[in-house]
Amino acid sequence: AVMNFDDLVLNVSGVVNLPTPYQGVLWGDVGDPDLFAWGDISYTDNYRNTNYGSPSGDIAASNYAGPVFASMANGAAFDFNGAYFSSQRQNNQLTSTSAKTLTLQGFNGATLVNSLAVNLDLNRIGYEWIQADFIGITSLKITGSTDDDRILDSATTWMIDDFTYNATPNQVPEPATM
């Protein structure tokens, strides 16, 4: 499944709290989501205004600040394949709280089973695909950090789009001559 957030209806300011569960995934706790969605060019708050566009359409999601936890609403294990990520920007410029590094952690229950730290390309204006391939996890934690020790991880901000989970590789058919 690919979660691209483009089916959400934004408010007049171009933003909406992400419902949780959303498309079968809990983003934080029920009634207290860790993400919100906004339109790349429609969001009128200059604090998060960008015009570089999300990969799949006009809407992407962002953390409020700090880590985001994701799990299946039914409690089942899932495979996290990857997603497009971007440092959050103000008028297309990095800010002191823009995530420069993302740490993705996959858990099975309380046990950490996968971890991936990725430096975001700060020269890129837009999103980059992060391939994770975490198999059989029950929760995912996404944390951003900056290179400034004065900025706590709980204050960093980043964007996500095309969250891909439980995807199976395309099967290549055997040639007819086989």
Side-chain angles (χ1 to χ4, degrees), residues 70-72 75-81 105-114 132-140 164-167:
S71 61
M72 299 305 293
F78 66 101
D79 299 339
F80 170 57
N81 305 96
Q105 296 174 301
F107 293 86
N108 191 331
T111 303
L112 177 66
V113 294
N114 297 100
D133 292 327
F134 293 176
I135 307 299
I137 61 173
T138 56
S139 64
L140 173 69
T164 305
Y165 64 102
N166 291 340

Side-chain angles (χ1 to χ4, degrees), residues 29-80:
D29 298 318
V30 173
D32 185 20
D34 288 342
L35 288 178
F36 67 101
W38 50 283
D40 284 329
I41 57 177
S42 64
Y43 190 32
T44 58
D45 177 350
N46 283 332
Y47 178 70
R48 292 186 169 91
N49 185 23
T50 64
N51 63 13
Y52 51 81
S54 54
S56 60
D58 292 334
I59 300 174
S62 176
N63 65 327
Y64 283 99
V68 167
F69 294 89
S71 61
M72 299 305 293
N74 64 5
F78 66 101
D79 299 339
F80 170 57

Side-chain angles (χ1 to χ4, degrees), residues 4-106:
N4 63 24
F5 311 105
D6 291 321
D7 61 332
L8 294 168
V9 177
L10 304 178
N11 67 23
V12 69
S13 296
V15 66
V16 66
N17 288 330
L18 197 70
T20 191
Y22 172 66
Q23 294 187 11
V25 176
L26 289 173
W27 293 97
D29 298 318
V30 173
D32 185 20
D34 288 342
L35 288 178
F36 67 101
W38 50 283
D40 284 329
I41 57 177
S42 64
Y43 190 32
T44 58
D45 177 350
N46 283 332
Y47 178 70
R48 292 186 169 91
N49 185 23
T50 64
N51 63 13
Y52 51 81
S54 54
S56 60
D58 292 334
I59 300 174
S62 176
N63 65 327
Y64 283 99
V68 167
F69 294 89
S71 61
M72 299 305 293
N74 64 5
F78 66 101
D79 299 339
F80 170 57
N81 305 96
Y84 282 99
F85 288 96
S86 173
S87 290
Q88 196 171 77
R89 296 169 185 256
Q90 177 181 352
N91 295 319
N92 296 327
Q93 302 298 315
L94 293 170
T95 69
S96 63
T97 61
S98 296
K100 294 174 177 63
T101 301
L102 288 177
T103 301
L104 310 173
Q105 296 174 301

Side-chain angles (χ1 to χ4, degrees), residues 89-169:
R89 296 169 185 256
Q90 177 181 352
N91 295 319
N92 296 327
Q93 302 298 315
L94 293 170
T95 69
S96 63
T97 61
S98 296
K100 294 174 177 63
T101 301
L102 288 177
T103 301
L104 310 173
Q105 296 174 301
F107 293 86
N108 191 331
T111 303
L112 177 66
V113 294
N114 297 100
S115 184
L116 175 65
V118 178
N119 292 321
L120 295 173
D121 182 353
L122 301 179
N123 294 317
R124 173 188 285 239
I125 301 295
Y127 293 78
E128 58 188 288
W129 176 258
I130 305 298
Q131 186 77 27
D133 292 327
F134 293 176
I135 307 299
I137 61 173
T138 56
S139 64
L140 173 69
K141 179 181 179 183
I142 307 168
T143 306
S145 60
T146 70
D147 57 5
D148 185 340
D149 292 337
R150 298 170 296 170
I151 305 296
L152 300 175
D153 292 351
S154 61
T156 60
T157 54
W158 43 265
M159 301 292 300
I160 186 173
D161 201 10
D162 291 358
F163 178 86
T164 305
Y165 64 102
N166 291 340
T168 56

